[in-house]
Amino acid sequence: MRRILFLTACLCIWAGSILAQIPKSPEVKDGEGQYNQLIIRGVTLINGTGAPPNGPVDIVIEKNRIVQIQNVGSPGLPINNARRPALKEGGKELNCEGMYALPGFIDMHGHIGGSAQGTPAEYVFKLWMAHGITTIRDPSAGNGLDWVLEHKRKSADNTITAPRIYAYTAFGQGNRSGIHTAEQARAWVRENAKKGADGIKFFGAPPEVMDAAIRENKALGLRSTCHHAQVDVARWNVLNSARAGMTSMEHWYGLPEALFTDKTIQQYPADYNYSNEQHRFEEAGKLWKQAAAPYSDHWNKVMNELISLDFTLDPTFNIYDANRDLHRARRAEWHEQYTLPSLWKFFEPSYQSHGSYWHNWGTEQEVEWKNNYRLWMSFVNEYKNRGGRVTAGSDNGFIYQTYGFGYIRELELLREAGFHPLEVIRSATLNGAQALGVEKDLGSVEVGKLADLVIINANPLKNLQVLYGTGAIELTKDNKIIRTGGVSYTIKDGVVYDAKKLLADVKKIVDQEKAKTGWQLKQPGIE
Ligand SMILES: [Zn+2]
């Protein structure tokens, strides 16, 4: 029963609850490099720090480090060859004239799929890498901490095609009898650190357990995050977590509760049942309007305190996108080619699959959620404006959000919240690195940092949609419809991956399953 409790508490846990059945990712190397010297020639750089685009530049990488960034001319004029860094013997050049380079993206909420969705790790990893995601934080280590740490090592050694992995174990994972006391909590936290985890993902627990676990974890130098599930949020919200030393939060649950002024508990209807997911998600859509209004005294006070505690928000806007427009999320143009049939089946309305609460979802629910988003986005945007850290996390593999694609949607939604495209990119890169505590090595394209880059033949500041694997639609002067963008190269740790080839591999995995099952995407109830 304990597992049931976990399952209902989180968007995450379903994915990896049955450990033994997870297919292993094949140990093939799809990328090329590292090189003694790799020079990316003539690219326009968006470096992730908030600096505007600058170029053309040559970026020189040795093995896996950026060693030089050299301006090589003026925009629109031929490259000034005299300025170009010389190619060493055995060096490799990548001609990227006219293209844009960005830091590798960091997905702060990246589940690696699993048996409930029927998704092989290779499918998930390649979708991420094809979208320029070179680092993920796995919030719950849903495939088991040992499995995640094994793949973290393989990724670090570049023996598999996968982003860098940071493992934040689900609090209590592996403890079958549950954690009921502060002492049990501290013991579990110490054991988790000893095993090599990077942090903890909480879902809520009794206050004394939360407090002890967060403090012990912090004392050990690890980081933490929480999906403040409704079952515990009335007695422990986001402010409690931040004050105890938690470093970040997922989604948004627990924030409206910290912002209540005229109530202490969400206004649940009497027939509400948390395990009924239509109840859970429908009522969540009415939550922000129950909290203090934007810019009111209490709203300001809570925001300012969270910022003073250096607390990171990881909103995962995209994972609730279907709640305000189910048609859009279901009919996204990449599903036919890139959503694995078993994943599609997992998304479809069901009383059982997590995040498939489309029992009776329509205009009323969507309008509530649209209003919910406005209040939520106001908070997140102002948090950023006052110096608070906001990151980009996808939580994909649920609610019609396919890996990689959903992350790009997250960037679009940060834009919608009010972020300038450069602020969006910074959230997706440097802010993520800071939240993970790895900004010395990752998060921006600067000399001395590890070589994680995204290279694309279009300007993502003009249209973030060019970052989708399927690119963006463009009409040429002679009236032809073309696709612009899709990441061209993903460079991770100095290894160069052809992002289009990775996407083709994903399509092959999908095609194989289609051929095996005869599946084709249909609208439920329509023959
Ligand atoms: Zn999750």
Side-chain angles (χ1 to χ4, degrees):
M1 285 317 283
R2 205 184 127 269
R3 200 169 95 208
I4 300 287
L5 212 148
F6 253 12
L7 293 177
T8 52
C10 166
L11 266 185
C12 332
I13 279 282
W14 272 105
S17 50
I18 304 164
L19 311 183
Q21 295 173 19
I22 306 286
K24 300 238 164 177
S25 51
E27 297 186 23
V28 290
K29 200 169 157 192
D30 302 287
E32 289 180 15
Q34 303 157 338
Y35 298 95
N36 285 337
Q37 188 198 39
L38 167 67
I39 306 182
I40 299 163
R41 297 285 198 196
V43 80
T44 301
L45 177 62
I46 299 168
N47 75 6
T49 64
N54 190 12
V57 298
D58 279 9
I59 302 170
V60 185
I61 295 160
E62 288 178 3
K63 298 277 190 196
N64 64 346
R65 290 272 170 196
I66 299 164
V67 298
Q68 189 184 356
I69 299 169
Q70 174 68 44
N71 189 295
V72 292
S74 307
L77 293 182
I79 299 289
N80 181 347
N81 281 321
R83 286 209 188 163
R84 302 206 108 156
L87 192 67
K88 290 182 185 164
E89 208 182 306
K92 158 98 178 166
E93 284 176 303
L94 206 56
N95 181 11
C96 294
E97 249 178 81
M99 301 174 89
Y100 282 76
L102 302 87
F105 296 140
I106 299 178
D107 187 340
M108 291 293 283
H109 200 121
H111 300 292
I112 314 177
S115 57
Q117 306 167 344
T119 48
E122 180 189 0
Y123 169 79
V124 177
F125 287 151
K126 286 189 172 172
L127 274 173
W128 278 334
M129 293 284 282
H131 286 90
I133 297 162
T134 52
T135 299
I136 64 114
R137 180 179 63 170
D138 180 346
S140 69
N143 295 335
L145 181 60
D146 292 343
W147 186 95
V148 175
L149 291 177
E150 178 196 334
H151 287 76
K152 174 184 170 145
R153 273 192 298 277
K154 287 177 177 169
S155 170
D157 295 343
N158 297 310
T159 57
I160 56 170
T161 300
R164 301 172 192 277
I165 296 171
Y166 290 88
Y168 281 39
T169 324
F171 179 62
Q173 187 184 90
N175 184 327
R176 290 184 180 277
S177 48
I179 294 172
H180 309 286
T181 68
E183 201 31 65
Q184 287 169 344
R186 282 188 283 267
W188 184 92
V189 168
R190 285 192 291 270
E191 187 61 25
N192 182 57
K194 215 164 81 186
K195 283 181 184 159
D198 298 290
I200 302 175
K201 159 85 176 287
F202 292 90
F203 298 100
E208 63 278 14
V209 170
M210 287 296 287
D211 191 70
I214 295 168
R215 288 179 195 281
E216 184 75 6
N217 188 60
K218 194 180 173 75
L220 293 170
L222 269 59
R223 290 168 190 247
S224 52
T225 195
C226 186
H227 165 159
H228 293 84
Q230 303 312 109
V231 287
D232 281 305
V233 78
R235 54 181 176 171
W236 185 274
N237 64 41
V238 168
L239 259 186
N240 302 104
S241 286
R243 285 171 183 163
M246 184 173 283
T247 55
S248 63
M249 66 171 284
E250 302 307 295
H251 316 304
W252 54 282
Y253 311 105
L255 256 183
E257 287 83 355
L259 294 166
F260 284 164
T261 52
D262 57 355
K263 62 181 75 61
T264 61
I265 296 175
Q266 178 185 342
Q267 290 183 326
Y268 297 110
D271 66 348
Y272 179 101
N273 182 336
Y274 184 71
S275 291
N276 176 326
E277 288 205 346
Q278 168 126 8
H279 287 182
R280 173 177 157 185
F281 285 91
E282 181 173 350
E283 292 305 314
K286 303 169 187 166
L287 193 40
W288 274 96
K289 69 182 181 189
Q290 297 171 36
Y295 304 98
S296 63
D297 288 348
H298 189 59
W299 192 90
N300 285 326
K301 195 169 146 273
V302 169
M303 180 179 291
N304 292 340
E305 182 173 351
L306 291 174
I307 292 170
S308 74
L309 292 165
D310 195 28
F311 192 67
T312 299
L313 305 188
D314 187 41
T316 70
F317 286 125
N318 78 100
I319 201 61
Y320 307 95
D321 205 18
N323 292 354
R324 60 177 195 167
D325 193 347
L326 181 53
H327 283 260
R328 178 189 213 287
R330 288 184 60 252
R331 300 301 298 131
E333 58 185 7
W334 42 83
H335 283 316
E336 275 89 346
Q337 284 177 299
Y338 298 108
T339 300
L340 202 64
S342 57
L343 181 57
W344 181 261
K345 190 162 179 294
F346 181 78
F347 288 156
E348 288 284 76
S350 160
Y351 290 114
Q352 288 168 321
S353 311
H354 179 48
S356 305
Y357 41 86
W358 321 108
H359 312 178
N360 190 354
W361 196 273
T363 311
E364 291 306 305
Q365 290 76 14
E366 291 187 359
V367 169
E368 289 285 8
W369 265 95
K370 283 177 186 176
N371 292 328
N372 210 38
Y373 263 88
R374 287 185 193 110
L375 295 166
W376 176 20
M377 284 178 161
S378 311
F379 190 93
V380 173
N381 189 48
E382 181 63 12
Y383 197 83
K384 174 261 299 172
N385 288 344
R386 293 186 193 177
R389 187 182 306 105
V390 177
T391 54
S394 72
D395 200 10
N396 285 167
F398 303 94
I399 320 184
Y400 293 108
Q401 297 300 333
T402 303
Y403 299 95
F405 291 98
Y407 183 81
I408 304 307
R409 182 69 185 144
E410 185 67 17
L411 306 190
E412 284 201 272
L413 292 172
L414 287 165
R415 179 76 188 94
E416 182 181 326
F419 288 47
H420 183 280
L422 284 169
E423 292 175 328
V424 173
I425 299 300
R426 187 175 56 189
S427 278
T429 57
L430 188 58
N431 285 7
Q434 287 170 347
L436 290 168
V438 295
E439 71 273 20
K440 280 207 171 76
D441 281 327
L442 299 177
S444 59
V445 179
E446 294 181 273
V447 171
K449 287 211 178 181
L450 290 170
D452 286 10
L453 293 102
V454 179
I455 296 174
I456 182 168
N457 68 356
N459 183 354
L461 302 185
K462 274 193 182 163
N463 179 7
L464 290 163
Q465 291 170 8
V466 298
L467 291 163
Y468 286 119
T470 42
I473 291 171
E474 198 180 308
L475 193 62
T476 63
K477 288 207 173 83
D478 52 348
N479 206 36
K480 288 211 173 65
I481 304 167
I482 59 162
R483 288 278 172 168
T484 308
V487 172
S488 300
Y489 302 106
T490 299
I491 300 176
K492 177 209 144 205
D493 210 34
V495 180
V496 182
Y497 296 86
D498 177 338
K500 310 251 176 195
K501 157 93 177 37
L502 296 181
L503 209 55
D505 290 352
V506 169
K507 191 170 173 296
K508 228 178 283 165
I509 296 172
V510 173
D511 285 343
Q512 277 165 4
E513 195 185 309
K514 277 184 187 169
K516 240 193 312 186
T517 59
W519 176 88
Q520 44 177 312
L521 194 152
K522 275 192 198 159
Q523 303 313 313
I526 302 176
E527 287 310 313

